[in-house]
Amino acid sequence: MNNCYCGKLDSFKACCHKIHLDITNALTAESLMRSRYSAFVVANGDYLQHSHHSTTRPSTREKKSIVKWAKSVQWVKLEVLNTKEGLQNDSEGTVEFKAFYFENGSLQCIHENSKFIKENGYWVYLGVV
């Protein structure tokens, strides 16, 4: 059995795919962030858009370019460095992470401290802190 793209030991189907099918399965900000990383790996633009806060959500045109880029790189791994709040009973939290990928033969890294809040009763990505 292969581990999930997000680094958890469960399979993708048992881990992030369940969240892609029903975002309310992301019980913490970290689980939503991990599911978003997996969505980049599988180029699931609909989920990336849906898991974005309504005030910062990419347009359909932006979504298409995000999907095109996500497909053009080779995703390597995700490292979660730190989380603050963002637990099941919280209404906001932050997750600091590094996402590694190859682009044009070169290893690249996105290092971000992301803000997550609950909107409509479930976790969504607001933006960079």
Side-chain angles (χ1 to χ4, degrees):
M1 177 175 74
N2 293 333
N3 295 351
C4 187
Y5 302 115
C6 78
K8 292 288 187 181
L9 297 179
D10 292 329
S11 69
F12 171 67
K13 187 174 183 181
C15 189
C16 288
H17 185 66
K18 287 189 341 188
I19 299 171
H20 292 179
L21 294 175
D22 181 357
I23 197 167
T24 63
N25 286 322
L27 301 181
T28 65
E30 181 180 332
S31 64
L32 184 85
M33 189 280 305
R34 287 179 177 278
S35 73
R36 285 181 51 81
Y37 172 82
S38 290
F40 275 99
V41 174
V42 299
N44 184 343
D46 291 337
Y47 179 76
L48 289 168
Q49 203 171 25
H50 180 63
S51 60
H52 231 284
H53 190 272
S54 60
T55 62
T56 57
R57 185 171 293 143
S59 68
T60 300
R61 185 175 176 186
E62 291 169 315
K63 177 182 84 167
K64 288 179 182 174
S65 72
I66 290 167
V67 167
K68 183 179 179 183
W69 175 76
K71 288 180 176 179
S72 76
V73 302
Q74 179 187 354
W75 295 94
V76 177
K77 70 176 178 175
L78 173 69
E79 289 180 1
V80 175
L81 304 175
N82 192 27
T83 59
K84 289 185 182 168
E85 298 179 322
L87 299 176
Q88 193 167 354
N89 293 325
D90 293 328
S91 58
E92 61 182 52
T94 60
V95 181
E96 182 184 7
F97 68 90
K98 287 183 177 181
F100 296 89
Y101 60 94
F102 279 103
E103 186 171 28
N104 300 320
S106 176
L107 183 64
Q108 303 291 321
C109 176
I110 298 168
H111 183 185
E112 185 175 303
N113 195 12
S114 300
K115 176 90 171 178
F116 296 88
I117 64 172
K118 283 189 178 170
E119 180 179 49
N120 301 318
Y122 57 84
W123 287 106
V124 290
Y125 171 72
L126 184 62
V128 178
V129 175

